[in-house]
Amino acid sequence: MTTLSAKDVRPPRQRPPGALRRSVSRNLTAYGFLSGALICFAFFSWIPMVREFILSFQKTNFVNSTEWVGLDNFRTVLDDPAFISAWVNTAIFTLLALVFGYIVPFVFAVVLNELRHAQGYLRLIVYLPVMLPPAVAVLLFKWFYDPGAGLFNQALGVVGIPPLSWLDSTTTALPSLVIVSTWMNLGTGTLIYLAALQSIPSELYEAAELDGAGLFKRVWHITIPQTRLILLVMLLLQIVATMQVFIEPFLLTGGGPENATVTVAYLMYQYAFSFGNFGGGGALGLMLMLVLIVFSAFYLRVSRDRT
C-alpha cells in the first residue's frame, strides 16, 4: 500500500482574484452581441411561426372578431381541387431544381477552380444575378419568354426552331420557372462550392495529375469526397428553399396555365390575400412547415450516420 507524502497532496486550485467578474463580463458581452440576432429571430421567425400555428385553427380577416374553428381550415384546404396540384407541382419543381439548381453551380465552381486566369472577373459575372432584386430578375425573364419578340424565341428562330409558348403551355411553364430560379441563385451556390474547392490541399490534385488522372477522375475521386459535407448541407438548403417557391409563379404565370404552376406557397398566398381566408393560408403554411421539419430531421439523421 502506497502512502502519499505531503508534497504529493496538491492544494485546491484557487481562482485568481477578479476572474469570476471577468468571466461574467465576457459572457455578458457575448450575449449582448447575440441579443440582436436573437431578437430578429424572435420577431421575424419564431413569433410568426407560433402565430401561424394559432391562425390555422381560427377564422379571421383581421377586421371582424376571431372565431375558433378547430380543424375546419384543414378540411377546407384538403377539399380544394388545387391542393393536390400544388403539392405535385412543388415536388416536380424541387426535383427539377435539384437537377439544375444543385448540379449546375457545382459544375461552374469546378470550371472556375480549374482556371488560372481572370477568376475574379468570372466570379463577378457569375454573381451578378444575385445582386439584382428578385422581382427585377423575374420580370427580365418574362420579357425573355415573350412569345413574340422574346430573346429565347428569337434565338430559336436563328437555328430554325419554331417559337415556344414558354409560360402559356402546361408542358413548358414549370420548367421555365426552374430556369429562372436556377439563374437567380446560381452565383451564391457557385461561390460557396468554389470556397469549398479552394480549401482542398493542392497536393492531392498534383499527385493525381502525376498518376495520369484526368479532370473527371480528379473530380470524382478527390473533389466530391473532399466536399462531401458542404454538398450534403447545400442539398438540404436547396430542397428547403425550392419547396417554398413563390415569387416565380406569382410574377410570371399567376399559377397558370390550368394550375400547372400553382405551388403550395402560392396557394397559401391565394387563400390569405385573394380569398381572404387567412386561416386556410395558415393551415397550408403549417402543413408545409411540418413536411419540411420532418424531412430535415430525417435527412440530418441519415447524413449524420453516413458521415
Side-chain angles (χ1 to χ4, degrees):
M1 182 176 179
T2 58
T3 58
L4 297 175
S5 61
K7 66 178 182 178
D8 293 328
V9 179
R10 297 180 179 179
R13 188 176 179 180
Q14 299 293 328
R15 185 184 292 269
L20 179 60
R21 181 175 57 81
R22 287 194 297 270
S23 176
V24 172
S25 176
R26 182 169 59 251
N27 290 334
L28 286 177
T29 302
Y31 291 137
F33 282 110
L34 285 174
S35 62
L38 293 175
I39 292 173
C40 287
F41 272 110
F43 277 99
F44 298 106
S45 294
W46 300 330
I47 292 178
M49 288 170 61
V50 175
R51 185 70 184 92
E52 180 184 42
F53 177 80
I54 297 173
L55 187 64
S56 63
F57 300 98
Q58 295 177 334
K59 180 180 180 181
T60 180
N61 56 6
F62 296 110
V63 177
N64 300 324
S65 59
T66 300
E67 178 185 354
W68 287 89
V69 294
L71 299 177
D72 285 353
N73 291 323
F74 294 90
R75 297 189 187 98
T76 301
V77 168
L78 291 172
D79 291 337
D80 190 340
F83 177 79
I84 299 298
S85 299
W87 282 100
V88 171
N89 293 336
T90 301
I92 295 174
F93 184 93
T94 301
L95 292 176
L96 291 176
L98 286 179
V99 175
F100 297 100
Y102 180 67
I103 297 177
V104 171
F106 184 74
V107 174
F108 269 66
V110 171
V111 173
L112 287 176
N113 194 50
E114 291 292 324
L115 297 177
R116 296 293 179 265
H117 304 287
Q119 268 198 14
Y121 298 105
L122 293 175
R123 285 185 221 169
L124 177 62
I125 293 174
V126 172
Y127 197 73
L128 275 176
V130 183
M131 300 180 186
L132 291 176
V136 174
V138 171
L139 293 177
L140 178 65
F141 266 83
K142 191 171 185 177
W143 174 72
F144 289 165
Y145 286 137
D146 187 272
L151 179 64
F152 291 159
N153 280 336
Q154 293 292 332
L156 292 178
V158 172
V159 295
I161 299 177
L164 298 177
S165 300
W166 296 93
L167 301 177
D168 298 327
S169 170
T170 56
T171 304
T172 60
L174 198 60
S176 299
L177 300 188
V178 175
I179 294 174
V180 179
S181 178
T182 301
W183 185 81
M184 288 170 56
N185 301 292
L186 177 65
T188 301
T190 300
L191 291 189
I192 292 175
Y193 288 136
L194 187 60
L197 294 179
Q198 292 182 345
S199 66
I200 300 175
S202 59
E203 293 81 4
L204 296 177
Y205 290 111
E206 293 171 359
E209 290 178 358
L210 291 176
D211 290 339
L215 176 60
F216 179 78
K217 288 187 176 181
R218 294 200 302 272
V219 171
W220 184 258
H221 294 289
I222 297 176
T223 304
I224 294 179
Q226 290 291 322
T227 58
R228 182 177 181 180
L229 180 59
I230 192 65
L231 287 173
L232 291 173
V233 173
M234 290 296 289
L235 178 62
L236 176 61
L237 295 178
Q238 174 79 12
I239 293 176
V240 171
T242 52
M243 286 286 289
Q244 303 176 71
V245 59
F246 168 73
I247 189 171
E248 290 88 348
F250 175 69
L251 290 178
L252 285 177
T253 61
E258 300 177 12
N259 287 339
T261 57
V262 171
T263 61
V264 176
Y266 182 74
L267 186 60
M268 179 172 57
Y269 166 84
Q270 281 189 314
Y271 265 93
F273 297 102
S274 297
F275 309 151
N277 187 351
F278 291 93
L284 269 172
L286 182 60
M287 291 180 186
L288 181 60
M289 183 175 66
L290 291 177
V291 168
L292 292 178
I293 288 175
V294 172
F295 167 77
S296 300
F298 173 77
Y299 179 83
L300 291 175
R301 177 63 182 271
V302 172
S303 61
R304 183 183 64 183
D305 293 342
R306 289 181 178 178
T307 54

